[in-house]
């Protein structure tokens, strides 16, 4: 980094400290070891926004500060809005108000950058470009245009110079997050370094419009057999890092309920279609729109839904999807120990004794036990779960926190279309599809191949270990030290462990069989019989007989008791 960049970063740091100090957060910077900078900025008087925020509550003040400090902090606030495991509802509500709106730029200020990126004058590439913007955000401006063949498109153009400003802010935030986590105990519980890492990764993706285009194209491929969901086409010939050219979607904005009614659309059906689409992205495809608010989808003729703006995307690994299904299973079965296990695993404390955590988890489950899924209010239940996590100083992986936030946002977005929309009822068909996918030959084969590779790697190491053993014997360094009493105790430990492992495996078969019977109401039917449910019942009966036989055996009973 050159001297000029360092000076610019220092000036920006002073600006940030001054803004937070005037807002009443100056002590935090002193605790970080930035006393000199805090004192220097404190001498600068007359911040123009001081009066605007003096009477506001803390969450409102932070939201206002983020708006004043520009696009980087607006985006940071939007990321923080996806972390309800760290912040209470009053904070999340303020962060959600942060919108990337910005003053419009004259198109002539954008033209030189666009023509440099495309390598030709705009008149040579487009039949027409509307110089009046459709939208102006903090990072980009959107304009309508027409290709030479008459195709209607939109140009998403990055604001000139914004990348350099954002990259400087990201450097500062990374440094400040490290200072905060190491020096300010009240901030350390929020894991600022992890939050900033998540933020930086997200923002780097948003700065590259080609990444956004790839995300949209992948989602589109996942819906190629669904004509009710539309993803705008990306025109790669003219899409670069700082400009995206995509199909123009002409429809009714999801926020315009009056226009939807005037068009005679079935809002219940639209809500169901939209929710099923996002749930499929999450539970089946593992790639989802992370900001599904009504401003990011349009209603098209034929009651179709078009999703736009794939800058903020979420990914769900197979492990995460399994955890979500385990979470739902723990809720349905009122299993406090299983829920504790999942929460500790999310907090990177896997294997710990749940201890006092069992009490609040029991209270949480008690509030919802006995209720069928269709009678549960998802947003309230998730809110209670997140309060449980915060109050017990637990955390969640950023992707899982974003996922829960999307579930709640999804329910809110589609309840605006249909006030009677039931999110829990909408989840069930997708959950069934996810379970079917987990049990499909392809998925089972994939998991089997993974295990096989692990064993092959293990066996591949055996010759090396044998050679090492032979070398040890040859050099006279091999030493034997065996105590028979310890060997005898080891034998008993192994026998007990194997006994319990066998019981656990058979019990798991019973649980899996029960889950299949409960979850799969749909599947291949032969002679009026659901084949998947027959497999489930078979697993239950077979496991029960084996378990009973084992428990009647005296040796097994003795080993289990020991």
């Amino acid at each position: 980094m050159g001297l000029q960049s360092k000076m610019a970063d220092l000036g920006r740091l002073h600006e940030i400290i001054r803004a937070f100090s005037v807002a009443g957060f100056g002590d935090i910077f002193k605790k970080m070891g930035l006393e000199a900078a805090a004192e220097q900025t404190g001498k600068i008087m007359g911040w123009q926004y001081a009066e605007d925020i003096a009477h506001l509550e803390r969450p409102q003040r932070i939201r206002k500060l983020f708006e004043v400090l520009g696009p980087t902090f607006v985006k940071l606030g939007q990321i923080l809005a996806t972390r309800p495991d760290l912040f209470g509802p009053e904070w999340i509500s303020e962060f959600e108000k942060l919108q990337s709106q910005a003053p419009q730029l004259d198109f002539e200020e954008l033209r030189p950058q666009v023509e440099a990126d495309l390598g030709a004058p705009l008149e040579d590439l487009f039949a027409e470009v509307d110089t009046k913007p459709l939208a102006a955000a903090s990072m980009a401006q959107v304009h309508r245009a027409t290709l030479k063949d008459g195709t209607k498109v939109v140009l998403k153009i990055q604001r000139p110079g914004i990348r350099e400003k954002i990259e400087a802010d990201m450097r500062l935030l990374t440094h400040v997050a490290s200072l905060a986590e190491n020096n300010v105990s009240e901030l350390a519980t929020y894991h600022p370094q992890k939050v900033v890492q998540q933020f930086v990764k997200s923002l780097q993706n948003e700065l590259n419009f080609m990444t956004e285009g790839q995300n949209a194209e992948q989602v589109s491929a996942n819906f190629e057999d669904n004509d009710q969901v539309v993803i705008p086409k990306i025109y790669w010939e003219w899409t670069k890092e700082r400009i995206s050219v995509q199909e123009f979607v002409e429809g009714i904005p999801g926020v315009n309920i009056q226009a939807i009614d005037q068009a005679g659309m079935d809002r219940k059906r639209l809500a169901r279609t939209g929710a099923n689409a996002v749930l499929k992205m999450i539970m089946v495809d593992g790639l989802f729109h992370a900001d599904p608010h009504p401003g990011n989808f349009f209603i098209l003729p034929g009651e179709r839904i078009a999703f736009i703006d794939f800058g903020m995307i979420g990914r769900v690994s197979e492990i995460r999807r399994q955890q979500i299904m385990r979470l739902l299973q723990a809720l349905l079965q009122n299993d406090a120990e299983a829920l504790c296990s999942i929460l500790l695993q999310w907090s990177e404390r896997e294997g710990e004794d749940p201890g006092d955590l069992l009490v609040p988890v029991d209270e949480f489950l008690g509030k919802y036990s006995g209720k069928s899924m269709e009678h549960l209010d998802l947003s309230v239940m998730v809110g209670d779960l997140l309060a449980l996590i915060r109050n017990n100083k637990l955390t969640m992986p950023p992707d899982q926190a974003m996922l829960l936030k999307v579930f709640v946002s999804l329910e809110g977005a589609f309840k605006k279309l249909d006030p009677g929309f039931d999110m829990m009822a909408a989840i069930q068909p997708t959950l069934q599809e996810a379970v079917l996918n987990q049990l499909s030959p392809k998925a089972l084969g994939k998991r089997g191949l993974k295990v096989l590779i692990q064993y092959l790697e293990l066996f591949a190491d055996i010759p090396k270990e044998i050679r090492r053993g032979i070398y040890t014997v040859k050099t006279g360094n091999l030493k034997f030290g065996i105590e028979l009493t310890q060997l005898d105790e080891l034998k008993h430990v192994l026998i007990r462990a194997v006994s319990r492992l066998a019981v656990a495996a058979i019990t798991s078969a019973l649980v899996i069989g029960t889950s299949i019977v409960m979850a799969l109401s749909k599947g291949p039917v032969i002679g009026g019989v659901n084949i998947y449910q027959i497999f489930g019942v078979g697993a239950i009966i077979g496991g029960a007989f084996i378990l009973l036989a084992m428990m009647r055996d005296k040796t097994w009973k003795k080993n289990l008791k020991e």
Side-chain angles (χ1 to χ4, degrees):
M1 189 192 306
L3 179 60
Q4 189 174 357
S5 297
K6 289 182 179 179
M7 293 299 293
D9 284 3
L10 184 60
R12 179 62 168 162
L13 177 62
H14 284 169
E15 182 184 355
I16 293 168
I17 292 175
R18 179 177 61 160
F20 276 88
S21 298
V22 172
F25 301 99
D27 287 347
I28 292 175
F29 292 98
K30 292 183 179 180
K31 289 181 181 179
M32 292 182 201
L34 297 170
E35 296 93 343
E39 288 175 8
Q40 183 177 348
T41 54
K43 295 174 184 177
I44 304 173
M45 305 300 290
W47 192 50
Q48 59 178 318
Y49 303 100
E51 292 184 6
D52 293 343
I53 67 172
H55 64 286
L56 300 178
E57 297 294 327
R58 286 170 67 89
Q60 293 173 313
R61 272 186 280 160
I62 288 293
R63 190 254 303 164
K64 183 66 177 177
L65 280 174
F66 283 4
E67 289 174 343
V68 167
L69 288 171
T72 308
F73 286 83
V74 168
K75 290 293 179 183
L76 175 60
Q78 291 172 349
I79 290 293
L80 296 180
T82 69
R83 300 304 307 269
D85 58 317
L86 299 178
F87 298 93
E90 69 281 5
W91 287 90
I92 298 299
S93 175
E94 290 301 319
F95 291 142
E96 286 177 337
K97 294 176 184 176
L98 288 165
Q99 299 296 322
S100 299
Q101 296 173 348
Q104 297 180 2
L105 287 178
D106 186 285
F107 189 78
E108 292 308 309
E109 296 181 58
L110 301 173
R111 181 187 288 272
Q113 176 181 292
V114 173
E115 293 184 342
D117 288 348
L118 297 180
L122 288 176
E123 291 75 16
D124 292 351
L125 305 174
F126 301 96
E128 182 185 1
V129 175
D130 188 350
T131 57
K132 182 180 179 181
L134 278 174
S138 57
M139 285 181 59
Q141 197 157 285
V142 179
H143 291 260
R144 290 186 63 170
T146 306
L147 299 180
K148 290 289 188 180
D149 63 2
T151 303
K152 303 295 183 183
V153 296
V154 293
L155 311 182
K156 183 176 179 180
I157 305 165
Q158 194 171 106
R159 285 179 175 259
I162 196 70
R163 178 183 293 270
E164 292 74 16
K165 293 177 183 177
I166 288 177
E167 287 177 346
D169 281 348
M170 287 193 292
R171 288 194 298 269
L172 287 174
L173 283 171
T174 301
H175 181 60
V176 169
S178 174
L179 292 175
E181 190 155 330
N182 294 324
N183 297 288
V184 186
S185 58
E186 56 263 41
L187 292 180
T189 56
Y190 294 94
H191 305 285
Q193 290 191 84
K194 286 187 177 180
V195 170
V196 169
Q197 286 169 6
Q198 177 197 2
F199 165 64
V200 168
K201 183 178 179 181
S202 174
L203 202 48
Q204 285 172 338
N205 287 334
E206 284 198 60
L207 282 170
N208 187 343
F209 291 170
M210 294 187 73
T211 301
E212 180 181 338
Q214 289 161 358
N215 291 335
E217 201 163 70
Q218 190 173 344
V219 173
S220 180
N222 292 336
F223 284 95
E224 62 182 354
D225 297 327
N226 187 334
D227 59 5
Q228 292 302 109
V229 177
V230 175
I231 310 297
K233 178 183 177 181
I234 305 298
Y235 291 91
W236 287 108
E237 184 179 353
W238 303 285
T239 293
K240 313 294 179 184
E241 283 196 13
R242 298 187 297 181
I243 181 170
S244 171
V245 179
Q246 44 189 285
E247 176 186 1
F248 175 70
V249 175
E250 192 159 7
I252 303 171
V255 294
N256 195 341
I257 302 299
Q258 184 178 357
I260 294 171
D261 287 338
Q262 289 173 349
M265 301 282 191
D266 183 343
R267 286 202 269 138
K268 289 182 180 293
R269 183 184 174 191
L270 286 169
R272 202 162 50 245
T273 299
N276 288 342
V278 180
L279 288 169
K280 177 185 180 298
M281 293 181 204
I282 294 170
M283 300 300 294
V284 179
D285 303 330
L287 179 73
F288 63 94
H289 196 304
D291 194 18
H293 64 75
N296 276 340
F297 62 83
F298 288 85
I299 310 303
L300 308 183
E303 293 175 336
R304 295 173 298 149
I305 291 186
F307 290 92
I308 64 167
D309 192 358
F310 287 86
M312 188 178 288
I313 205 80
R315 296 183 183 274
V316 193
S317 65
E318 186 178 345
I319 291 174
R320 292 281 187 256
R321 277 175 271 171
Q322 290 172 358
Q323 288 174 344
I324 287 290
M325 286 188 275
R326 283 173 51 208
L327 175 67
L328 291 171
Q329 188 179 39
L331 291 172
L332 289 171
Q333 296 178 350
N334 198 29
D335 190 338
E337 288 191 2
L339 184 53
C340 284
S341 174
I342 294 167
L343 295 180
L344 290 171
Q345 187 178 18
W346 281 349
S347 300
E348 298 182 352
R349 292 163 52 185
E350 188 173 4
E352 281 190 20
D353 184 348
D356 294 338
L357 182 60
L358 276 170
V359 175
V361 167
D362 263 328
E363 292 175 355
F364 167 75
L365 289 175
K367 185 174 179 180
Y368 296 100
S369 64
K371 294 184 180 179
S372 60
M373 287 184 75
E374 58 266 24
H375 293 116
L376 292 175
D377 187 322
L378 181 70
S379 60
V380 173
M381 185 176 71
V382 170
D384 288 344
L385 177 63
L386 292 167
L388 169 69
I389 289 170
R390 290 192 303 272
N391 294 340
N392 290 277
K393 302 190 184 311
L394 300 170
T395 57
M396 295 177 69
D399 56 345
Q400 203 72 298
M402 178 185 285
L403 193 54
L404 287 182
K405 175 66 170 55
V406 167
F407 275 128
V408 176
S409 298
L410 198 59
E411 184 177 50
F414 292 109
K415 271 191 173 178
K416 290 178 182 176
L417 277 175
D418 171 20
F421 175 71
D422 185 345
M423 184 66 181
M424 294 305 289
I427 285 176
Q428 291 186 67
T430 310
L431 186 60
Q432 287 181 350
E433 187 179 353
V435 173
L436 282 171
N437 284 348
Q438 290 290 320
L439 297 173
S440 70
K442 182 179 178 181
L444 292 173
K446 184 179 177 181
R447 288 199 290 275
L449 180 62
K450 185 177 179 180
V451 172
L452 178 61
I453 290 172
Q454 290 174 340
Y455 276 111
L456 288 174
E457 290 174 348
L458 176 65
F459 285 118
D461 285 338
I462 289 177
K464 180 176 66 177
E465 297 301 326
I466 292 174
R467 287 196 300 272
R468 184 180 296 171
I470 293 172
Y471 176 77
T472 303
V473 172
K474 282 183 175 180
T475 55
N477 292 325
L478 183 64
K479 297 179 181 179
F480 290 93
I482 301 175
E483 290 188 32
L484 294 180
T485 55
Q486 291 180 351
L487 193 60
D488 191 52
E489 176 61 27
L490 177 62
K491 179 187 75 173
H492 286 299
V493 169
L494 288 172
I495 290 173
R496 289 198 299 272
V498 170
S499 302
R500 290 171 181 170
L501 185 61
V503 172
I506 294 165
T507 305
S508 298
L510 289 172
V511 171
I512 292 170
T514 305
S515 300
I516 293 173
V517 172
M518 289 173 62
L520 300 180
S521 59
K522 296 180 181 178
V525 176
I526 299 177
V529 178
N530 187 313
I531 299 303
Y532 286 124
Q533 290 190 333
I534 287 295
F535 285 146
V537 172
I540 295 171
I541 295 172
F545 272 115
I546 296 171
L547 189 60
L548 285 171
M550 288 170 56
M551 296 305 293
R552 292 184 64 185
D553 185 272
K554 293 181 180 179
T555 305
W556 278 97
K557 287 170 70 175
K558 180 182 177 183
N559 289 331
L560 287 171
K561 285 181 181 178
E562 291 179 348

